[in-house]
Amino acid sequence: MASWNPAIRRYFIFRGLLSRVFLPILVIFMADQGLDLGQIALVTVAGKVVSLIFEIPSGAIADTIGHRRALVISLLGQALAALLFLPGTLPWIMAGTVLYFLAGTLLTGTGEALFFEYIKSIGRETDHLKLWGEGKSMSRLLNLVAVFIGGASYALSPSLPFLICAAQFIAAAICINGFPSPPKSISVTQEEGFMQLLRHFPRALKSIWSVAFVFWLVVMNALLIGSISGTNDFQQLIFDHLGATTIFIGAVYAIKRVVSMILNSYAHRLATFGAVRIMTVCTVMLAAYAFLTPFISSFWLYGAVVLIASAIYGLLEVFFNDSLNKAIPSLSRATTISVANFATSAVGIGSALLFGSLHLPLPQLYAVLGMLIILCAIVPLIRLYQTQKI
């Protein structure tokens, strides 16, 4: 931490202010406003679709208008989005969700690019990895506090988490606006223009398809992580049904992050098992999590069960990235990762649509999800074992 100059310290304060205070209570808030499961799923899908569509063009926009300016616009947009939730009706919640994810696409990747550009401009490029690791650790700790505050503040007033979140984003915008702006650089995306983005995706698909192990690895990761990310927030409704307070839910969200952090740090010790075995174990864990959900009658026990999904995320976040980067050619790395992210988002959208379209009790929907995961994982796992490099 002693190596942090004022600008670096300012940047990491900015990162710490990005935690979504309303995250642990968002679905409960929607249910409390009278939205049914189908409407909640519709809102969830709308946000994910907006994020999926605008993720790539947002990078070109950020490169065009400048990274620091893009961040300020993004943060002010997200602050406004948090306030749009307050009326509590479906149209306002939908508007808040769409604006939140639309503005958020300007944030992803842009902040990292701005920080790297600054570090490079002051001649400390070799320190980037160390500094980034220190900053991530600090922001994760602040995120733990934020999600707990979200649950606790909702118990005081349903509008409080959204007001706090709006204030956070405004403070983050002010903070990053004072960050030094390095010399403007022209990105490849900006030089090639938006039409190049339309040709990017087919090239990426071809790159993945040409290496069988990579293709099936991407499919399995999308299946597991996508199904978790698409249905994760519905856990709040089950907690609420079982009688958990929002304070308890906020505490569980904080513990989930601790579990992911620990497994991120220690996952390398399991490297001898190999990515394919880890994928198999994660598939079994995810099915167990899904099948156990309908039989849970205690929110304390359910709090333990949901940590299984967090453990899967913590493991695959490391193993998938490592296995993918080792298996693909250097020139294909960026395109392969972009398609992998797209596939994961697509599965997340499909999972949320499943929950919204089937007229079943929510716990039983998790059991249906578990059956689908097992059925869909059979062929990819067999192909992974057949194509893995010995």
Side-chain angles (χ1 to χ4, degrees):
M1 309 299 180
S3 59
W4 295 7
N5 65 24
I8 293 173
R9 192 174 297 112
R10 172 184 287 269
Y11 180 82
F12 289 138
I13 291 172
F14 149 75
R15 295 294 306 186
L17 289 169
L18 299 183
S19 303
R20 291 182 292 168
V21 169
F22 60 70
L23 181 64
I25 54 84
L26 181 57
V27 173
I28 289 179
F29 172 80
M30 288 191 276
D32 286 347
Q33 305 309 308
L35 274 65
D36 59 30
L37 182 59
Q39 291 172 321
I40 293 172
L42 180 64
V43 171
T44 301
V45 169
K48 292 183 180 298
V49 169
V50 167
S51 181
L52 187 67
I53 293 173
F54 289 97
E55 185 64 42
I56 295 178
S58 68
I61 293 171
D63 286 333
T64 301
I65 67 175
H67 293 162
R68 188 175 63 180
R69 184 179 299 170
L71 290 174
V72 171
I73 293 172
S74 171
L75 292 162
L76 294 179
Q78 290 178 88
L80 176 59
L83 297 176
L84 291 180
F85 282 94
L86 295 179
T89 62
L90 178 58
W92 282 107
I93 290 173
M94 181 67 78
T97 300
V98 170
L99 178 58
Y100 178 81
F101 280 95
L102 181 61
T105 58
L106 276 176
L107 180 65
T108 54
T110 306
E112 288 88 338
L114 178 66
F115 181 70
F116 182 81
E117 290 165 357
Y118 171 73
I119 293 301
K120 184 176 181 179
S121 72
I122 62 173
R124 295 187 59 182
E125 189 174 349
T126 56
D127 294 333
H128 176 261
L129 182 60
K130 174 177 178 293
L131 290 169
W132 187 248
E134 292 173 350
K136 287 285 284 185
S137 297
M138 188 189 87
S139 62
R140 283 183 184 271
L141 289 174
L142 291 173
N143 185 251
L144 297 179
V145 176
V147 292
F148 180 75
I149 289 175
S153 61
Y154 189 80
L156 296 174
S157 170
S159 62
L160 199 52
F162 298 95
L163 294 172
I164 294 173
C165 207
Q168 269 186 278
F169 283 126
I170 291 172
I174 295 171
C175 182
I176 201 63
N177 191 53
F179 188 77
S181 183
K184 182 177 176 61
S185 59
I186 304 297
S187 72
V188 174
T189 302
Q190 186 181 336
E191 287 183 329
E192 293 176 340
F194 282 95
M195 290 304 297
Q196 185 66 20
L197 298 174
L198 300 178
R199 293 189 288 269
H200 170 85
F201 198 74
R203 286 204 313 268
L205 282 174
K206 184 178 179 180
S207 174
I208 288 180
W209 185 258
S210 65
V211 184
F213 179 78
V214 171
F215 174 80
W216 294 111
L217 192 69
V218 168
V219 169
M220 273 306 303
N221 185 75
L223 176 64
L224 297 176
I225 299 301
S227 59
I228 292 174
S229 65
T231 61
N232 204 33
D233 288 340
F234 292 103
Q235 295 169 355
Q236 296 171 27
L237 294 179
I238 297 180
F239 274 120
D240 188 51
H241 177 73
L242 294 174
T245 64
T246 55
I247 297 175
F248 180 83
I249 297 171
V252 171
Y253 267 67
I255 295 170
K256 285 165 66 174
R257 280 152 180 74
V258 171
V259 169
S260 294
M261 286 170 59
I262 292 173
L263 286 172
N264 282 167
S265 301
Y266 290 94
H268 66 279
R269 298 189 179 185
L270 303 175
T272 53
F273 287 95
V276 181
R277 290 189 181 92
I278 292 295
M279 283 288 184
T280 304
V281 169
C282 286
T283 302
V284 174
M285 289 171 64
L286 186 54
Y289 154 73
F291 287 131
L292 283 171
T293 297
F295 300 100
I296 301 299
S297 58
S298 163
F299 64 80
W300 289 96
L301 185 56
Y302 187 59
V305 170
V306 299
L307 295 181
I308 297 174
S310 298
I312 296 168
Y313 193 90
L315 283 171
L316 291 188
E317 194 173 27
V318 175
F319 275 102
F320 174 70
N321 183 275
D322 181 67
S323 301
L324 192 66
N325 277 286
K326 288 178 179 176
I328 56 182
S330 296
L331 294 177
S332 303
R333 185 160 289 119
T335 55
T336 303
I337 292 173
S338 69
V339 171
N341 292 336
F342 184 92
T344 301
S345 297
V347 173
I349 292 170
S351 301
L353 282 173
L354 174 72
F355 274 39
S357 60
L358 295 182
H359 300 290
L360 292 172
L362 183 57
Q364 292 181 24
L365 287 172
Y366 276 96
V368 172
L369 181 68
M371 287 188 287
L372 289 175
I373 288 168
I374 290 176
L375 291 174
C376 293
I378 293 174
V379 172
L381 285 176
I382 291 173
R383 295 295 293 137
L384 273 177
Y385 276 103
Q386 292 174 339
T387 59
Q388 66 180 329
K389 297 180 180 180
I390 309 298

